[in-house]
Amino acid sequence: PRVVRDLQKDLGKKVNLQIEGEETELDKTVIDDLMDPIMHCVRNSVDHGIESPEERKALGKSETGTVLLKAANEGNMIIIDIVDDGNGIDAEKVRKKAVEKGLIHPNKVLSEQEAANLIFLPGFSTADKITNVSGRGVGLDVVKTMIDKLNGTVNVTTEKGRGSKFSIRLPLTLAIIQGLLVRVGREVYSIPIASVIESHRIRRGEINTIDNYEVLNVRNEVISVLRLSRLFNIRNTEDGEYCFVVIVGTQDKKIGIMVDALIGEEDVVIKPLRDQFTQSPGIAGASILGDGSVSLIIDVSQLLELGVRQEIEARSEYGTID
């Protein structure tokens, strides 16, 4: 509330801040890292979203704009929405600014939603002049970076003249996750259950190769397959007739992870990796299991980005296995 009051004075605007879901509980480590992203989103709504009292009056709106900060639980996720009833995001203005700054090609065709998401790019600002509040291009890229670090997602939806909504989705805790334990050779890995869509026991012969990518056909949908044994260079894997493919990701972006066996679900406590291990692609941390053994935790978002790039490089060394 204090930030909004100060901004009202600086910008000469009238803003009513509404807060809903104050009782929503969240891991303290998450809350500490969440303060900056929420602050940036609220400042953005007041500065860029809410119009001046004169403009609002001319548009037939109340002179006082509304910013709603709302939190709610949804399963093992928390949803935080920052909603304003301002003028929305001008997709064409955003696109022009992005072209000016060389962030996108002038001929690139973008939907309104894609244009709106450009505001999360580093150094991006639609402010015409630099002030104490905005114009430096520092803010929403910090939001995206921090939320990614918390294994969450942030997106913006907007309607011209009606307002905008920032939606942040986060896991309830960073310390404990539910993991699906899988075995590759003698190694045990944990895949966060929140990212698992389904799993299949298949014959190895069901995996086909298209354009040098290994793929699996699941209900007429072609899904790329990534072999953890190749990614992490594990050679003593089983070569029996059957294997398991765990499909992870979102409904829009999926990848199949090929493993030797599924062990089961377990609550795992994440221990961060330090020193030389921090740069390991595809690994989010480690956990000590009940029997004292160490299980590495798979970073699904990184795996999706890696795609099958390392698979293709490794395939030349291993040869394709049918």
Side-chain angles (χ1 to χ4, degrees):
R2 184 170 61 82
V3 168
V4 172
R5 277 201 307 272
D6 291 348
L7 282 173
Q8 284 185 90
K9 288 177 189 169
D10 291 347
L11 300 168
K13 295 181 179 180
K14 296 181 181 177
V15 184
N16 174 31
L17 176 68
Q18 296 178 357
I19 300 176
E20 291 180 14
E22 298 99 322
E23 70 288 342
T24 307
E25 292 186 352
L26 195 56
D27 191 291
K28 188 178 185 304
T29 51
V30 181
I31 286 177
D32 291 344
D33 286 334
L34 198 54
M35 285 307 297
D36 275 352
I38 288 181
M39 205 71 82
H40 280 304
C41 288
V42 170
R43 286 169 68 97
N44 194 79
S45 290
V46 175
D47 184 22
H48 294 288
I50 303 294
E51 311 94 332
S52 66
E54 298 76 25
E55 285 177 72
R56 291 182 66 86
K57 202 169 180 183
L59 292 166
K61 294 182 177 181
S62 158
E63 287 188 11
T64 304
T66 302
V67 174
L68 169 65
L69 175 59
K70 181 181 175 184
N73 288 97
E74 192 178 284
N76 62 346
M77 302 289 284
I78 184 166
I79 317 293
I80 297 168
D81 291 334
I82 298 101
V83 188
D84 68 71
D85 66 347
N87 55 13
I89 296 169
D90 186 335
E92 191 50 39
K93 184 179 179 183
V94 169
R95 192 185 170 286
K96 281 179 182 168
K97 284 276 185 182
V99 171
E100 272 176 38
K101 291 176 180 286
L103 298 170
I104 61 168
H105 192 276
N107 297 333
K108 188 168 175 65
V109 178
L110 296 173
S111 68
E112 286 213 0
Q113 187 56 52
E114 287 170 330
N117 281 315
L118 289 174
I119 63 177
F120 292 110
L121 292 174
F124 191 88
S125 176
T126 55
D128 296 318
K129 59 180 187 293
I130 295 174
T131 66
N132 289 337
V133 182
S134 65
R136 297 182 303 278
V138 177
L140 292 179
D141 66 312
V142 173
V143 173
K144 181 131 181 48
T145 304
M146 292 293 285
I147 299 301
D148 285 348
K149 184 180 148 195
L150 296 170
N151 299 325
T153 60
V154 57
N155 62 56
V156 60
T157 52
T158 184
E159 193 178 338
K160 188 90 175 72
R162 300 289 296 276
S164 306
K165 176 167 86 168
F166 290 93
S167 286
I168 298 170
R169 295 175 67 91
L170 293 164
L172 278 175
T173 173
L174 290 184
I176 301 172
I177 61 162
Q178 251 202 321
L180 173 65
L181 300 186
V182 300
R183 186 169 54 74
V184 183
R186 293 179 183 173
E187 304 294 329
V188 174
Y189 293 93
S190 304
I191 303 173
I193 282 285
S195 302
V196 175
I197 297 170
E198 57 188 319
S199 58
H200 295 270
R201 179 174 181 259
I202 62 163
R203 293 177 188 272
R204 290 178 188 268
E206 290 179 48
I207 294 178
N208 302 305
T209 304
I210 300 175
D211 294 337
N212 219 17
Y213 283 74
E214 283 190 314
V215 296
L216 178 66
N217 192 323
V218 180
R219 295 186 293 277
N220 295 323
E221 184 180 2
V222 176
I223 293 171
S224 297
V225 174
L226 185 69
R227 295 179 188 246
L228 281 194
S229 56
R230 287 208 193 111
L231 185 64
F232 299 134
N233 203 18
I234 301 166
R235 292 182 178 269
N236 58 341
T237 57
E238 297 173 7
D239 56 0
E241 185 183 356
Y242 290 95
C243 65
F244 291 87
V245 172
V246 181
I247 296 171
V248 297
T250 62
Q251 289 302 327
D252 305 327
K253 201 174 182 185
K254 301 177 189 174
I255 196 166
I257 299 176
M258 184 173 162
V259 298
D260 293 332
L262 303 182
I263 298 171
E265 292 180 28
E266 193 170 309
D267 284 344
V268 292
V269 179
I270 299 178
K271 306 278 185 189
L273 292 174
R274 291 191 171 85
D275 305 325
Q276 71 265 39
F277 303 113
T278 52
Q279 299 306 314
S280 303
I283 297 295
S287 179
I288 298 170
L289 302 177
D291 61 1
S293 62
V294 173
S295 168
L296 292 175
I297 297 162
I298 302 291
D299 186 328
V300 171
S301 60
Q302 270 194 355
L303 277 193
L304 287 169
E305 283 177 28
L306 279 171
V308 199
R309 190 176 67 233
Q310 284 183 263
E311 270 280 79
I312 293 169
E313 291 168 7
R315 198 168 290 139
S316 57
E317 181 187 342
Y318 280 80
T320 303
I321 302 166
D322 292 322

